[in-house]
Structures are given as C-alpha cells and as structure tokens.
Amino acid sequence: MRVVIAEDAVLLRAGVIRLLADENIETVAAVDNGDDLLGAVKEHRPDLAIVDVRMPPTFTDEGLRAALGAREAVPGLPVLVLSQYVEESYAVELLSGGAGGVGYLLKERVADVSDFLDAVKRVAGGGTAIDPDVIAQLMARGRKNPLDALTARESEVLGLMAQGLSNTAIANSLVVSHGAVEKHIGNIFSKLGLEASSVEHRRVRAVLTYLGR
C-alpha cells in the first residue's frame, strides 16, 4: 500500500509514518499543506490519503478542501481524515464527496495503534471508518426517512457498520449469530432501497445514508 500524508504537526506526522512503516505501508509523500497534498496525489496516485482537516495558513478547512480536490483529481481516492474535534459540517461534506473509501477519526484515536491501522486498511480497501463520536454528533442533528423504517436492532447494526466493523465483529459485539447479522444487513439494504450492487458498495452507501447525507 502507498500512502500520502498531509499533516502540519511534525511529531504526529512522523509518528504516523513510523506506524505505517512497521506495517510495511509505504509513505510516498508527507506534506504540511493543502497545495502540496494535491500535487503529491496527482504525482503518486496513492492507495490512500491521510489528511488533517486544519492546516496552514488559516487552520480552518484547508485540509478538507484539499482532500475533496484530491478526490476530484483522482476519482475514488480513499481518504482518511484526522481532526482534533468533531467538525460536523466538514464530516458531512467529506462523506458526500463521492465514491471510494472514506474515514473520519479524531486524532486521539491514533493512540490506539491497532484500531488506527485497521481503519487505514479498511478505508484503503474502499470501506468506511467513522469515529463513534462523529457518528453520535451527526445523528444528533436528526433526520427523516428512510431510516425511520429500520428497527432498533437494524439501526444498531448499521451504527456498527458505520464504525467499520465486519459481520463477525458485529455478531460478537451484539452477542448474536453471524446469520442474524446477515439477515439484519439484508433488511437494511432492502429498506434503504440499496439493490443491484456489490455487497461492499451497498455497505458504504448504507453508512452514508445513516450519517445523514
């Protein structure tokens, strides 16, 4: 796997590079601003971009805008965003940015090395990895159908899907059978009208619907 990192904090950037290297994941470019991120993505065509939301010069949304620009330059580019806080509007904009793996983690999650690396691999593979705190805040906004059609258990399963859990991990978390999880997910796809597509792609689409797109 080849990764581009955009993070202005030198120590965090170096730490992420080291964590990835220990997993034989190559960092082909490490930059500290949005413009250089775009250039690196166009040059290297990486398997994943890891991007800080806030970067120079204003430390507002440069990283997010650069990430969205990178996905336009390389359609389907998997993007894993790191943020110090839950930036609700930023998260919604990223999640509505088109096809491809997508992740949004709070920076404190990087300290959990195993979970962080799982998120990196999952997003690079076209899946999702959304921080539970981000999910909670987005859900608090409230929304209308089609999610109102889901049962409480189906909503719970979809919430775990949003965190990137596999069917087996969901079954273990809810203490139910693997078959029960598959049935719930099938019901979710049906109720959300997600038909005639690959299972993995439907999972991503279901998660984006859940997060209020």
Side-chain angles (χ1 to χ4, degrees):
M1 186 193 309
R2 300 165 67 253
V3 175
V4 165
I5 299 172
E7 167 61 61
D8 68 291
V10 176
L11 290 179
L12 179 57
R13 187 169 68 238
V16 170
I17 292 172
R18 177 62 183 271
L19 288 178
L20 297 179
D22 288 344
E23 292 293 307
N24 296 315
I25 298 173
E26 179 185 6
T27 300
V28 295
V31 301
D32 62 2
N33 64 82
D35 289 341
D36 286 348
L37 169 65
L38 286 174
V41 164
K42 291 177 181 178
E43 177 183 353
H44 296 286
R45 300 273 170 164
D47 300 303
L48 174 70
I50 300 176
V51 186
D52 184 7
V53 167
R54 297 185 172 187
M55 290 194 293
T58 67
F59 294 95
T60 55
D61 63 351
E62 285 87 356
L64 175 74
R65 288 189 284 106
L68 295 174
R71 296 192 80 168
E72 290 180 3
V74 181
L77 172 71
V79 174
L80 175 58
V81 165
L82 302 179
S83 180
Q84 190 69 40
Y85 309 101
V86 179
E87 307 280 4
E88 181 179 324
S89 61
Y90 297 160
V92 171
E93 188 171 357
L94 173 70
L95 294 170
S96 62
V102 62
Y104 192 111
L105 298 181
L106 297 183
K107 287 186 176 180
E108 64 190 50
R109 305 294 178 189
V110 179
D112 190 325
V113 175
S114 178
D115 284 352
F116 173 68
L117 292 174
D118 282 347
V120 166
K121 295 171 184 177
R122 194 157 58 241
V123 173
T128 59
I130 313 298
D131 195 291
D133 288 346
V134 175
I135 293 173
Q137 189 150 320
L138 291 177
M139 292 298 292
R141 295 187 303 131
R143 65 230 182 283
K144 299 179 180 179
N145 287 331
L147 296 176
D148 291 341
L150 302 183
T151 66
R153 178 62 89 183
E154 289 163 357
S155 294
E156 193 172 11
V157 169
L158 187 49
L160 294 174
M161 287 168 61
Q163 294 180 40
L165 271 64
S166 66
N167 288 9
T168 299
I170 292 173
N172 292 338
S173 177
L174 299 179
V175 195
V176 298
S177 69
H178 192 276
V181 171
E182 289 184 338
K183 181 178 179 180
H184 288 313
I185 292 175
N187 290 339
I188 291 167
F189 290 160
S190 178
K191 290 179 179 180
L192 297 183
L194 302 177
E195 303 295 340
S197 182
S198 69
V199 172
E200 189 61 35
H201 184 51
R202 284 196 294 175
R203 287 178 77 97
V204 174
R205 291 166 60 197
V207 166
L208 296 182
T209 300
Y210 174 79
L211 293 174
R213 280 189 52 192

